[in-house]
Amino acid sequence: MPALIKAVRGTRDLLPPDTETWNLVEAAARDCFGAFNFHEIRTPVLEDLALFQRSVGEETDIVSKEMFAWEDRSRAESEKGQWLALRPENTAGVVRAYIEHKLWERAGVQKLYYIGPQFRRERPQKGRYRQFYQIGAEIIGPPASGSESPARDAEVLEMLATLLERLGIQNWTLELNSVGCPEDRVRYNQALRDALAPVVNQMCGDCQRRAVTNPLRVLDCKVPADQPIIEKLPRISDYLDEPCREHFYEVQRILKALAVPYTINSRLVRGLDYYVRTVFEFTHGALGAQNAILGGGRYDGLSEALGGPRAPGIGFAIGEDRLVMALAEVRPAETAAPDVYIAAMGAGMNAEAARLGRELRHSGITVELGDESFRLKKSLETASKLGARFAVILGENEIQSGQIAVKNLATGEQQAVARAELPGRIRQNR
Ligand code: HAM
């Protein structure tokens, strides 16, 4: 026997009925984002590796350890290969597209959302996959469009609270912080360096390196032995300048007016380098170790870092895998059952059954066709197993008389219905 080929480590198949929940979540997101005037963008899964190095940052875990990247040799032999990567997140791609298509020439701010797979070579565990899905949204635009306004920060946070509420997800906590502007960060990084200098030799290798290259990233360290040291490090909130403080204050003032609950977490710095000012995560009790259901923040300098014009922005990405897990707590997945099961009583009836199926589907009825047993008892059993509301029995007699036998599988009641009345009768009683 040839060896079995299985799904690649960290990837998984999404099967029915779970896919029903995925579709429900995606439909709710589209609907909710639409009400906030967001429109969909689809960017490629494949991007130039440099895009992520310059946005997410070379010192982040995502870029330094978790990228699926390779030198692509599909160009002419004489040319150098191009380094490609499977996207680990979608903000960089959206900003690249914003620049490439000069979206700043369009009126107002751009409000874009996306739904799609992302790839990170992380150690797989519950809620953490190598191919996972994000539902994200970004607001980006020239400063004159108001893209820098704290009202935008509050708008995306309110939109998230609205979506979670509509889905019936409770027990979430919005953790909020401000990581200031680049100037604040220079001062904060220096404070971190000073605080780390006497203790860094007791820390892990990554921290020792980062203490020199990008001290902020020390705060992402997950090594348990390093945590007591990290706990005592200075907090970014003490290093914000006046405009950043005010911006953060205003975000909170609007959130309070909107009655969106939040807690300040001054240790929250997020694992991507492009953030400035507002950063946030929503955590959820039922998710265990991987409890961040979504994360996001401001990235006012990202467009310029990628060679574009000044275009402040803010956005978030929901981990769809985790959102579906949280939803499964409150709403078990169910496969939608067909309305009608058509049982043909002989191979000669197949064409007629197909024709009837076509007519019924045309009127919005979900139809499953028979199992080729051509036996009444067996057909009714199959129809019940599938959860169909009605079984329609189609034999010579029915076709000749134009009266079709319809059995309500819940009550067991059977009636003869004129063929022309069938769609209406089924729709009425669904
Ligand atoms: P992120 O925090 O890296 O942010 O990812 C957002 C969310 O994606 C996480 O909160 C988590 O729910 C989910 N996620 C991340 N990695 C995995 C994984 N390996 N398996 C399952 N779920 C995962 C970003 O990606 C930013 N682009 C968000 C953003 C948009 N910031 C501004 N705009």
Side-chain angles (χ1 to χ4, degrees):
M1 273 243 290
L4 282 182
I5 298 173
K6 295 202 173 156
V8 172
R9 180 172 147 82
T11 72
R12 59 196 182 130
D13 303 303
L14 304 173
L15 307 174
D18 296 346
T19 39
E20 307 271 346
T21 312
W22 285 74
N23 287 333
L24 183 142
V25 162
E26 289 171 16
R30 286 177 196 282
D31 190 56
C32 175
F33 298 172
F36 285 77
N37 196 32
F38 279 77
H39 299 279
E40 185 170 4
I41 182 168
R42 298 188 192 197
T43 65
V45 165
L46 266 186
E47 295 273 8
D48 192 317
L49 173 64
L51 175 66
F52 304 111
Q53 291 170 327
R54 278 165 57 186
S55 55
V56 175
E58 300 217 52
E59 266 302 320
T60 59
D61 278 354
I62 297 176
V63 172
S64 67
K65 299 183 182 163
E66 300 168 359
M67 295 290 283
F68 285 97
W70 65 95
E71 191 178 5
D72 187 69
R73 294 233 157 252
S74 59
R75 292 179 174 189
E77 278 299 305
S78 54
E79 282 182 77
K80 272 190 71 178
Q82 181 187 16
W83 278 86
L84 300 181
L86 293 180
R87 61 184 185 196
E89 60 93 75
N90 220 152
T91 310
V94 169
V95 177
R96 179 200 48 69
Y98 174 86
I99 299 168
E100 197 166 326
H101 304 285
K102 297 191 172 59
L103 296 185
W104 64 85
E105 290 178 350
R106 301 187 181 186
V109 285
Q110 294 304 300
K111 299 172 92 175
L112 303 165
Y113 77 85
Y114 47 84
I115 300 177
Q118 319 291 332
F119 303 84
R120 296 182 193 176
R121 192 186 277 107
E122 295 194 81
R123 200 170 49 76
Q125 63 179 79
K126 186 170 175 243
R128 191 163 73 191
Y129 308 98
R130 291 184 168 182
Q131 175 170 340
F132 61 100
Y133 296 79
Q134 285 186 341
I135 301 179
E138 315 288 348
I139 301 184
I140 179 170
S145 66
S147 55
E148 223 165 347
S149 165
R152 294 302 186 185
D153 307 44
E155 184 182 5
V156 296
L157 292 168
E158 186 215 344
M159 183 163 88
L160 283 163
T162 306
L163 176 62
L164 295 180
E165 190 183 320
R166 278 201 202 168
L167 286 169
I169 293 180
Q170 288 160 345
N171 301 328
W172 51 265
T173 306
L174 159 55
E175 296 186 17
L176 196 61
N177 194 22
S178 173
V179 292
C181 53
E183 297 76 54
D184 300 338
R185 215 114 84 214
V186 171
R187 288 201 305 276
Y188 181 55
N189 274 333
Q190 192 50 53
L192 282 178
R193 278 198 183 93
D194 294 347
L196 283 166
V199 287
V200 73
N201 58 358
Q202 302 160 35
M203 300 183 82
C204 70
D206 277 346
C207 282
Q208 300 201 11
R209 200 187 67 246
R210 287 166 171 174
V212 181
T213 55
N214 190 350
L216 192 72
R217 294 274 74 93
V218 169
L219 302 177
D220 297 335
C221 174
K222 302 282 183 311
V223 175
D226 290 355
Q227 299 312 309
I229 299 176
I230 293 172
E231 259 307 301
K232 294 203 193 76
L233 292 173
R235 285 158 195 264
I236 184 112
S237 43
D238 295 326
Y239 294 83
L240 302 186
D241 65 12
E242 203 43 41
C244 288
R245 250 179 236 281
E246 259 171 41
H247 192 278
F248 193 38
Y249 175 79
E250 189 57 16
V251 175
Q252 295 177 57
R253 201 177 66 83
I254 306 174
L255 285 180
K256 283 186 188 128
L258 293 168
V260 175
Y262 63 89
T263 58
I264 302 287
N265 174 357
S266 54
R267 293 269 164 216
L268 183 69
V269 292
R270 310 265 303 129
L272 302 90
D273 277 353
Y274 49 61
Y275 289 118
V276 294
R277 294 191 163 171
T278 314
V279 291
F280 55 86
E281 277 179 7
F282 282 56
T283 54
H284 189 272
L287 294 179
Q290 303 303 318
N291 68 350
I293 204 164
L294 67 93
R298 250 190 192 281
Y299 45 85
D300 294 346
L302 180 53
S303 169
E304 287 149 296
L306 294 175
R310 180 150 170 70
I314 178 152
F316 63 82
I318 302 170
E320 192 177 355
D321 306 73
R322 296 183 192 176
L323 183 61
V324 167
M325 269 166 66
L327 193 60
E329 293 272 306
V330 280
R331 231 192 273 216
E334 267 176 42
T335 303
D339 299 312
V340 173
Y341 183 88
I342 303 180
M345 292 293 108
M349 257 15 76
N350 272 347
E352 199 48 41
R355 216 159 66 87
L356 181 62
R358 186 176 163 83
E359 274 168 39
L360 294 177
R361 289 185 189 115
H362 216 74
S363 354
I365 293 166
T366 309
V367 178
E368 181 55 282
L369 289 178
D371 60 7
E372 295 282 305
S373 71
F374 309 127
R375 284 180 15 233
L376 186 60
K377 186 157 174 281
K378 173 95 190 328
S379 295
L380 293 178
E381 271 168 24
T382 311
S384 293
K385 268 190 210 147
L386 290 176
R389 294 276 300 163
F390 299 98
V392 165
I393 297 137
L394 211 58
E396 287 288 0
N397 292 347
E398 279 79 9
I399 289 169
Q400 264 160 28
S401 66
Q403 294 285 313
I404 293 176
V406 181
K407 193 176 177 78
N408 182 327
L409 291 165
T411 62
E413 189 191 339
Q414 184 163 327
Q415 279 186 330
V417 178
R419 186 179 169 133
E421 285 168 24
L422 198 56
R425 189 68 74 86
I426 286 169
R427 273 210 313 270
Q428 254 170 27
N429 295 300
R430 263 194 301 190

Short mmCIF file of all heavy atoms in Angstrom, two decimals, residues 334-391:
data_model
loop_
_atom_site.label_atom_id
_atom_site.label_comp_id
_atom_site.label_asym_id
_atom_site.label_seq_id
_atom_site.Cartn_x
_atom_site.Cartn_y
_atom_site.Cartn_z
N GLU A 334 -24.11 23.09 12.96
CA GLU A 334 -25.11 22.16 12.43
C GLU A 334 -25.10 22.23 10.92
O GLU A 334 -25.04 23.33 10.38
CB GLU A 334 -26.51 22.62 12.85
CG GLU A 334 -27.02 22.02 14.12
CD GLU A 334 -28.36 22.63 14.49
OE1 GLU A 334 -29.19 22.82 13.58
OE2 GLU A 334 -28.55 22.94 15.67
N THR A 335 -25.20 21.08 10.27
CA THR A 335 -25.32 21.12 8.81
C THR A 335 -26.76 21.41 8.46
O THR A 335 -27.67 20.77 9.00
CB THR A 335 -24.92 19.77 8.18
OG1 THR A 335 -23.60 19.48 8.60
CG2 THR A 335 -24.96 19.82 6.67
N ALA A 336 -26.98 22.37 7.58
CA ALA A 336 -28.35 22.67 7.16
C ALA A 336 -28.90 21.45 6.40
O ALA A 336 -28.22 20.87 5.56
CB ALA A 336 -28.35 23.89 6.26
N ALA A 337 -30.10 21.03 6.76
CA ALA A 337 -30.70 19.85 6.13
C ALA A 337 -31.47 20.27 4.88
O ALA A 337 -31.94 21.41 4.80
CB ALA A 337 -31.64 19.18 7.12
N PRO A 338 -31.61 19.36 3.90
CA PRO A 338 -32.40 19.71 2.71
C PRO A 338 -33.88 19.82 3.06
O PRO A 338 -34.34 19.21 4.02
CB PRO A 338 -32.14 18.54 1.75
CG PRO A 338 -31.70 17.42 2.61
CD PRO A 338 -31.05 18.01 3.82
N ASP A 339 -34.61 20.63 2.28
CA ASP A 339 -36.06 20.70 2.47
C ASP A 339 -36.72 19.43 1.94
O ASP A 339 -37.65 18.91 2.54
CB ASP A 339 -36.64 21.90 1.71
CG ASP A 339 -36.06 23.22 2.20
OD1 ASP A 339 -36.03 23.42 3.43
OD2 ASP A 339 -35.62 24.03 1.36
N VAL A 340 -36.23 19.00 0.81
CA VAL A 340 -36.91 17.90 0.11
C VAL A 340 -35.93 16.83 -0.32
O VAL A 340 -34.83 17.14 -0.80
CB VAL A 340 -37.61 18.46 -1.16
CG1 VAL A 340 -38.17 17.33 -2.01
CG2 VAL A 340 -38.70 19.43 -0.78
N TYR A 341 -36.35 15.60 -0.15
CA TYR A 341 -35.60 14.46 -0.66
C TYR A 341 -36.48 13.81 -1.73
O TYR A 341 -37.61 13.40 -1.43
CB TYR A 341 -35.33 13.49 0.48
CG TYR A 341 -34.49 12.30 0.09
CD1 TYR A 341 -33.11 12.35 0.15
CD2 TYR A 341 -35.09 11.11 -0.32
CE1 TYR A 341 -32.34 11.27 -0.20
CE2 TYR A 341 -34.32 10.02 -0.67
CZ TYR A 341 -32.94 10.10 -0.62
OH TYR A 341 -32.17 9.03 -0.96
N ILE A 342 -36.00 13.77 -2.95
CA ILE A 342 -36.82 13.17 -4.01
C ILE A 342 -36.39 11.72 -4.23
O ILE A 342 -35.23 11.46 -4.57
CB ILE A 342 -36.68 13.95 -5.34
CG1 ILE A 342 -37.07 15.43 -5.14
CG2 ILE A 342 -37.55 13.30 -6.43
CD1 ILE A 342 -36.95 16.27 -6.40
N ALA A 343 -37.32 10.82 -3.99
CA ALA A 343 -37.01 9.40 -4.15
C ALA A 343 -37.63 8.90 -5.45
O ALA A 343 -38.86 8.79 -5.56
CB ALA A 343 -37.57 8.63 -2.95
N ALA A 344 -36.79 8.64 -6.43
CA ALA A 344 -37.28 8.07 -7.70
C ALA A 344 -37.48 6.57 -7.49
O ALA A 344 -36.65 5.91 -6.88
CB ALA A 344 -36.27 8.33 -8.80
N MET A 345 -38.61 6.06 -7.96
CA MET A 345 -38.91 4.63 -7.76
C MET A 345 -38.54 3.82 -9.00
O MET A 345 -39.34 3.06 -9.53
CB MET A 345 -40.41 4.45 -7.41
CG MET A 345 -40.81 5.01 -6.07
SD MET A 345 -40.05 4.12 -4.70
CE MET A 345 -38.85 5.27 -4.13
N GLY A 346 -37.34 4.00 -9.48
CA GLY A 346 -36.88 3.25 -10.63
C GLY A 346 -35.96 4.13 -11.46
O GLY A 346 -36.14 5.36 -11.49
N ALA A 347 -34.98 3.47 -12.12
CA ALA A 347 -34.00 4.24 -12.89
C ALA A 347 -34.68 5.07 -13.97
O ALA A 347 -34.22 6.16 -14.32
CB ALA A 347 -32.97 3.30 -13.50
N GLY A 348 -35.80 4.56 -14.49
CA GLY A 348 -36.54 5.27 -15.54
C GLY A 348 -37.09 6.60 -15.04
O GLY A 348 -37.46 7.47 -15.83
N MET A 349 -37.15 6.75 -13.75
CA MET A 349 -37.72 7.97 -13.15
C MET A 349 -36.65 9.04 -12.91
O MET A 349 -36.98 10.14 -12.49
CB MET A 349 -38.33 7.61 -11.77
CG MET A 349 -39.80 7.45 -11.60
SD MET A 349 -40.83 7.30 -12.99
CE MET A 349 -40.57 5.65 -13.51
N ASN A 350 -35.38 8.70 -13.12
CA ASN A 350 -34.29 9.63 -12.76
C ASN A 350 -34.39 10.98 -13.47
O ASN A 350 -34.20 12.01 -12.86
CB ASN A 350 -32.92 9.00 -13.06
CG ASN A 350 -32.43 8.18 -11.88
OD1 ASN A 350 -32.97 8.29 -10.78
ND2 ASN A 350 -31.41 7.36 -12.11
N ALA A 351 -34.73 10.91 -14.77
CA ALA A 351 -34.79 12.18 -15.53
C ALA A 351 -35.91 13.05 -14.98
O ALA A 351 -35.74 14.27 -14.79
CB ALA A 351 -35.02 11.89 -17.01
N GLU A 352 -37.05 12.42 -14.66
CA GLU A 352 -38.20 13.17 -14.15
C GLU A 352 -37.87 13.75 -12.77
O GLU A 352 -38.21 14.89 -12.45
CB GLU A 352 -39.41 12.23 -14.08
CG GLU A 352 -40.74 12.91 -14.00
CD GLU A 352 -40.92 14.03 -15.04
OE1 GLU A 352 -40.50 13.85 -16.22
OE2 GLU A 352 -41.44 15.08 -14.64
N ALA A 353 -37.16 12.95 -11.95
CA ALA A 353 -36.76 13.42 -10.61
C ALA A 353 -35.83 14.63 -10.75
O ALA A 353 -35.97 15.62 -10.02
CB ALA A 353 -36.06 12.30 -9.85
N ALA A 354 -34.92 14.56 -11.69
CA ALA A 354 -33.98 15.67 -11.90
C ALA A 354 -34.74 16.93 -12.32
O ALA A 354 -34.44 18.03 -11.87
CB ALA A 354 -32.95 15.29 -12.95
N ARG A 355 -35.76 16.73 -13.20
CA ARG A 355 -36.54 17.87 -13.68
C ARG A 355 -37.32 18.52 -12.53
O ARG A 355 -37.36 19.74 -12.40
CB ARG A 355 -37.52 17.39 -14.77
CG ARG A 355 -37.71 18.40 -15.89
CD ARG A 355 -38.24 17.70 -17.13
NE ARG A 355 -39.57 17.17 -16.90
CZ ARG A 355 -40.69 17.88 -17.08
NH1 ARG A 355 -40.63 19.13 -17.47
NH2 ARG A 355 -41.86 17.33 -16.87
N LEU A 356 -37.89 17.67 -11.69
CA LEU A 356 -38.65 18.19 -10.54
C LEU A 356 -37.70 18.92 -9.57
O LEU A 356 -38.01 20.00 -9.07
CB LEU A 356 -39.36 17.03 -9.82
CG LEU A 356 -40.20 17.43 -8.61
CD1 LEU A 356 -41.34 18.37 -9.03
CD2 LEU A 356 -40.78 16.19 -7.91
N GLY A 357 -36.53 18.32 -9.36
CA GLY A 357 -35.52 18.95 -8.49
C GLY A 357 -35.17 20.33 -9.00
O GLY A 357 -35.10 21.30 -8.24
N ARG A 358 -34.99 20.43 -10.30
CA ARG A 358 -34.63 21.72 -10.92
C ARG A 358 -35.73 22.75 -10.66
O ARG A 358 -35.44 23.89 -10.30
CB ARG A 358 -34.44 21.48 -12.41
CG ARG A 358 -33.93 22.65 -13.19
CD ARG A 358 -33.72 22.17 -14.63
NE ARG A 358 -33.61 23.24 -15.58
CZ ARG A 358 -32.50 23.92 -15.83
NH1 ARG A 358 -31.40 23.62 -15.18
NH2 ARG A 358 -32.49 24.87 -16.71
N GLU A 359 -36.97 22.34 -10.83
CA GLU A 359 -38.10 23.27 -10.62
C GLU A 359 -38.16 23.75 -9.17
O GLU A 359 -38.34 24.93 -8.90
CB GLU A 359 -39.43 22.56 -10.92
CG GLU A 359 -39.81 22.60 -12.40
CD GLU A 359 -40.97 21.63 -12.67
OE1 GLU A 359 -41.90 21.53 -11.83
OE2 GLU A 359 -40.89 20.97 -13.71
N LEU A 360 -37.99 22.79 -8.25
CA LEU A 360 -38.08 23.15 -6.83
C LEU A 360 -36.94 24.08 -6.43
O LEU A 360 -37.15 25.07 -5.71
CB LEU A 360 -38.07 21.89 -5.96
CG LEU A 360 -39.30 20.97 -6.11
CD1 LEU A 360 -39.14 19.72 -5.26
CD2 LEU A 360 -40.59 21.69 -5.71
N ARG A 361 -35.75 23.76 -6.89
CA ARG A 361 -34.59 24.61 -6.53
C ARG A 361 -34.78 26.01 -7.07
O ARG A 361 -34.36 26.99 -6.45
CB ARG A 361 -33.30 24.01 -7.10
CG ARG A 361 -32.88 22.76 -6.39
CD ARG A 361 -31.53 22.25 -6.91
NE ARG A 361 -31.25 20.93 -6.37
CZ ARG A 361 -31.15 19.84 -7.11
NH1 ARG A 361 -31.31 19.89 -8.43
NH2 ARG A 361 -30.90 18.68 -6.54
N HIS A 362 -35.43 26.09 -8.22
CA HIS A 362 -35.70 27.38 -8.83
C HIS A 362 -36.55 28.25 -7.91
O HIS A 362 -36.48 29.46 -7.96
CB HIS A 362 -36.44 27.14 -10.15
CG HIS A 362 -36.04 28.11 -11.20
ND1 HIS A 362 -34.83 28.03 -11.84
CD2 HIS A 362 -36.68 29.21 -11.69
CE1 HIS A 362 -34.74 29.03 -12.69
NE2 HIS A 362 -35.85 29.76 -12.62
N SER A 363 -37.38 27.61 -7.10
CA SER A 363 -38.18 28.40 -6.15
C SER A 363 -37.53 28.48 -4.78
O SER A 363 -38.22 28.67 -3.78
CB SER A 363 -39.60 27.85 -5.99
OG SER A 363 -39.88 26.83 -6.83
N GLY A 364 -36.22 28.27 -4.74
CA GLY A 364 -35.48 28.50 -3.49
C GLY A 364 -35.56 27.36 -2.50
O GLY A 364 -35.30 27.55 -1.31
N ILE A 365 -35.92 26.18 -2.98
CA ILE A 365 -36.03 25.02 -2.08
C ILE A 365 -34.76 24.17 -2.21
O ILE A 365 -34.24 23.99 -3.31
CB ILE A 365 -37.29 24.20 -2.46
CG1 ILE A 365 -38.53 25.05 -2.16
CG2 ILE A 365 -37.34 22.86 -1.77
CD1 ILE A 365 -39.81 24.54 -2.79
N THR A 366 -34.25 23.68 -1.07
CA THR A 366 -33.03 22.85 -1.11
C THR A 366 -33.44 21.40 -1.35
O THR A 366 -34.27 20.86 -0.61
CB THR A 366 -32.28 22.95 0.22
OG1 THR A 366 -32.10 24.33 0.52
CG2 THR A 366 -30.93 22.27 0.16
N VAL A 367 -32.84 20.80 -2.36
CA VAL A 367 -33.28 19.47 -2.79
C VAL A 367 -32.11 18.49 -2.81
O VAL A 367 -31.02 18.82 -3.26
CB VAL A 367 -33.87 19.56 -4.23
CG1 VAL A 367 -34.28 18.17 -4.73
CG2 VAL A 367 -35.04 20.52 -4.26
N GLU A 368 -32.35 17.29 -2.30
CA GLU A 368 -31.38 16.19 -2.46
C GLU A 368 -32.07 15.10 -3.27
O GLU A 368 -33.26 14.83 -3.07
CB GLU A 368 -30.96 15.68 -1.07
CG GLU A 368 -29.95 14.56 -1.09
CD GLU A 368 -28.70 14.92 -1.87
OE1 GLU A 368 -28.73 14.88 -3.12
OE2 GLU A 368 -27.69 15.22 -1.23
N LEU A 369 -31.29 14.48 -4.16
CA LEU A 369 -31.89 13.43 -4.99
C LEU A 369 -31.63 12.05 -4.39
O LEU A 369 -30.68 11.86 -3.64
CB LEU A 369 -31.33 13.49 -6.41
CG LEU A 369 -31.81 14.70 -7.24
CD1 LEU A 369 -31.15 14.68 -8.61
CD2 LEU A 369 -33.34 14.71 -7.39
N GLY A 370 -32.47 11.11 -4.74
CA GLY A 370 -32.49 9.76 -4.17
C GLY A 370 -31.22 8.96 -4.27
O GLY A 370 -30.27 9.35 -4.93
N ASP A 371 -31.21 7.85 -3.54
CA ASP A 371 -29.99 7.08 -3.35
C ASP A 371 -29.83 5.92 -4.33
O ASP A 371 -29.01 5.04 -4.11
CB ASP A 371 -29.94 6.56 -1.91
CG ASP A 371 -31.13 5.65 -1.61
OD1 ASP A 371 -31.89 5.35 -2.55
OD2 ASP A 371 -31.30 5.26 -0.45
N GLU A 372 -30.64 5.88 -5.36
CA GLU A 372 -30.53 4.83 -6.37
C GLU A 372 -30.96 3.46 -5.86
O GLU A 372 -30.71 2.45 -6.51
CB GLU A 372 -29.10 4.73 -6.94
CG GLU A 372 -28.66 5.96 -7.71
CD GLU A 372 -29.24 6.04 -9.13
OE1 GLU A 372 -29.05 5.08 -9.89
OE2 GLU A 372 -29.87 7.05 -9.46
N SER A 373 -31.56 3.41 -4.66
CA SER A 373 -32.03 2.11 -4.19
C SER A 373 -33.34 1.77 -4.89
O SER A 373 -33.66 0.61 -5.11
CB SER A 373 -32.26 2.13 -2.67
OG SER A 373 -33.40 2.92 -2.35
N PHE A 374 -34.12 2.85 -5.22
CA PHE A 374 -35.44 2.72 -5.82
C PHE A 374 -36.39 1.92 -4.94
O PHE A 374 -37.37 1.35 -5.42
CB PHE A 374 -35.36 2.11 -7.24
CG PHE A 374 -34.37 2.82 -8.11
CD1 PHE A 374 -33.36 2.13 -8.77
CD2 PHE A 374 -34.44 4.20 -8.26
CE1 PHE A 374 -32.45 2.80 -9.56
CE2 PHE A 374 -33.51 4.88 -9.06
CZ PHE A 374 -32.51 4.18 -9.71
N ARG A 375 -36.05 1.84 -3.64
CA ARG A 375 -36.95 1.14 -2.71
C ARG A 375 -37.51 2.16 -1.74
O ARG A 375 -36.77 2.96 -1.17
CB ARG A 375 -36.18 0.04 -1.98
CG ARG A 375 -35.94 -1.16 -2.89
CD ARG A 375 -35.19 -2.29 -2.24
NE ARG A 375 -35.11 -2.22 -0.79
CZ ARG A 375 -33.97 -2.29 -0.13
NH1 ARG A 375 -32.83 -2.39 -0.76
NH2 ARG A 375 -33.98 -2.24 1.19
N LEU A 376 -38.81 2.12 -1.56
CA LEU A 376 -39.47 3.14 -0.77
C LEU A 376 -38.93 3.21 0.66
O LEU A 376 -38.55 4.26 1.15
CB LEU A 376 -40.99 2.88 -0.76
CG LEU A 376 -41.81 3.97 -0.09
CD1 LEU A 376 -41.61 5.31 -0.78
CD2 LEU A 376 -43.28 3.60 -0.05
N LYS A 377 -38.87 2.04 1.32
CA LYS A 377 -38.48 2.01 2.73
C LYS A 377 -37.06 2.58 2.90
O LYS A 377 -36.80 3.45 3.73
CB LYS A 377 -38.55 0.58 3.25
CG LYS A 377 -38.32 0.45 4.72
CD LYS A 377 -38.94 -0.83 5.26
CE LYS A 377 -38.58 -1.03 6.72
NZ LYS A 377 -37.23 -1.58 6.89
N LYS A 378 -36.17 2.10 2.07
CA LYS A 378 -34.77 2.54 2.14
C LYS A 378 -34.66 4.04 1.87
O LYS A 378 -33.94 4.77 2.55
CB LYS A 378 -33.95 1.72 1.12
CG LYS A 378 -32.53 2.16 0.96
CD LYS A 378 -31.62 1.33 1.84
CE LYS A 378 -30.20 1.86 1.93
NZ LYS A 378 -29.65 2.51 0.78
N SER A 379 -35.42 4.52 0.87
CA SER A 379 -35.37 5.94 0.52
C SER A 379 -35.85 6.80 1.68
O SER A 379 -35.25 7.84 1.98
CB SER A 379 -36.26 6.23 -0.70
OG SER A 379 -35.75 5.57 -1.81
N LEU A 380 -36.92 6.37 2.33
CA LEU A 380 -37.45 7.17 3.45
C LEU A 380 -36.46 7.19 4.60
O LEU A 380 -36.29 8.21 5.28
CB LEU A 380 -38.81 6.63 3.91
CG LEU A 380 -39.95 6.81 2.88
CD1 LEU A 380 -41.26 6.20 3.40
CD2 LEU A 380 -40.17 8.28 2.55
N GLU A 381 -35.79 6.08 4.82
CA GLU A 381 -34.76 6.04 5.88
C GLU A 381 -33.65 7.04 5.59
O GLU A 381 -33.23 7.80 6.45
CB GLU A 381 -34.13 4.64 5.95
CG GLU A 381 -34.86 3.71 6.89
CD GLU A 381 -34.38 2.26 6.71
OE1 GLU A 381 -33.23 2.06 6.23
OE2 GLU A 381 -35.18 1.37 7.04
N THR A 382 -33.18 7.02 4.34
CA THR A 382 -32.10 7.94 3.96
C THR A 382 -32.56 9.39 4.14
O THR A 382 -31.83 10.22 4.68
CB THR A 382 -31.69 7.71 2.49
OG1 THR A 382 -31.48 6.32 2.30
CG2 THR A 382 -30.43 8.47 2.13
N ALA A 383 -33.79 9.67 3.69
CA ALA A 383 -34.32 11.04 3.79
C ALA A 383 -34.34 11.48 5.26
O ALA A 383 -33.95 12.61 5.58
CB ALA A 383 -35.72 11.10 3.19
N SER A 384 -34.76 10.59 6.15
CA SER A 384 -34.81 10.94 7.58
C SER A 384 -33.41 11.18 8.12
O SER A 384 -33.19 12.10 8.89
CB SER A 384 -35.46 9.81 8.39
OG SER A 384 -36.80 9.72 8.03
N LYS A 385 -32.47 10.30 7.74
CA LYS A 385 -31.09 10.46 8.23
C LYS A 385 -30.52 11.81 7.82
O LYS A 385 -29.77 12.43 8.55
CB LYS A 385 -30.21 9.36 7.66
CG LYS A 385 -30.12 8.16 8.57
CD LYS A 385 -29.04 7.21 8.10
CE LYS A 385 -29.41 5.80 8.46
NZ LYS A 385 -28.96 4.81 7.50
N LEU A 386 -30.86 12.25 6.64
CA LEU A 386 -30.35 13.55 6.16
C LEU A 386 -31.05 14.72 6.84
O LEU A 386 -30.65 15.86 6.67
CB LEU A 386 -30.54 13.67 4.64
CG LEU A 386 -29.66 12.78 3.78
CD1 LEU A 386 -30.03 12.93 2.31
CD2 LEU A 386 -28.19 13.13 3.97
N GLY A 387 -32.14 14.43 7.54
CA GLY A 387 -32.88 15.49 8.23
C GLY A 387 -33.82 16.26 7.30
O GLY A 387 -34.23 17.38 7.63
N ALA A 388 -34.16 15.65 6.14
CA ALA A 388 -35.04 16.35 5.19
C ALA A 388 -36.42 16.58 5.82
O ALA A 388 -36.87 15.76 6.63
CB ALA A 388 -35.17 15.55 3.91
N ARG A 389 -37.07 17.68 5.46
CA ARG A 389 -38.42 17.95 5.96
C ARG A 389 -39.44 17.06 5.26
O ARG A 389 -40.35 16.54 5.87
CB ARG A 389 -38.80 19.42 5.68
CG ARG A 389 -37.98 20.41 6.42
CD ARG A 389 -38.49 20.66 7.82
NE ARG A 389 -39.86 21.18 7.85
CZ ARG A 389 -40.63 21.16 8.92
NH1 ARG A 389 -40.18 20.63 10.04
NH2 ARG A 389 -41.84 21.67 8.88
N PHE A 390 -39.27 16.91 3.93
CA PHE A 390 -40.23 16.14 3.14
C PHE A 390 -39.53 15.13 2.26
O PHE A 390 -38.44 15.39 1.76
CB PHE A 390 -41.01 17.08 2.19
CG PHE A 390 -41.80 18.12 2.92
CD1 PHE A 390 -41.30 19.40 3.08
CD2 PHE A 390 -43.06 17.82 3.43
CE1 PHE A 390 -42.03 20.36 3.76
CE2 PHE A 390 -43.80 18.78 4.10
CZ PHE A 390 -43.28 20.06 4.27
N ALA A 391 -40.21 14.01 2.05
CA ALA A 391 -39.77 13.08 1.00
C ALA A 391 -40.82 13.15 -0.10
O ALA A 391 -42.03 13.12 0.18
CB ALA A 391 -39.67 11.67 1.55
#
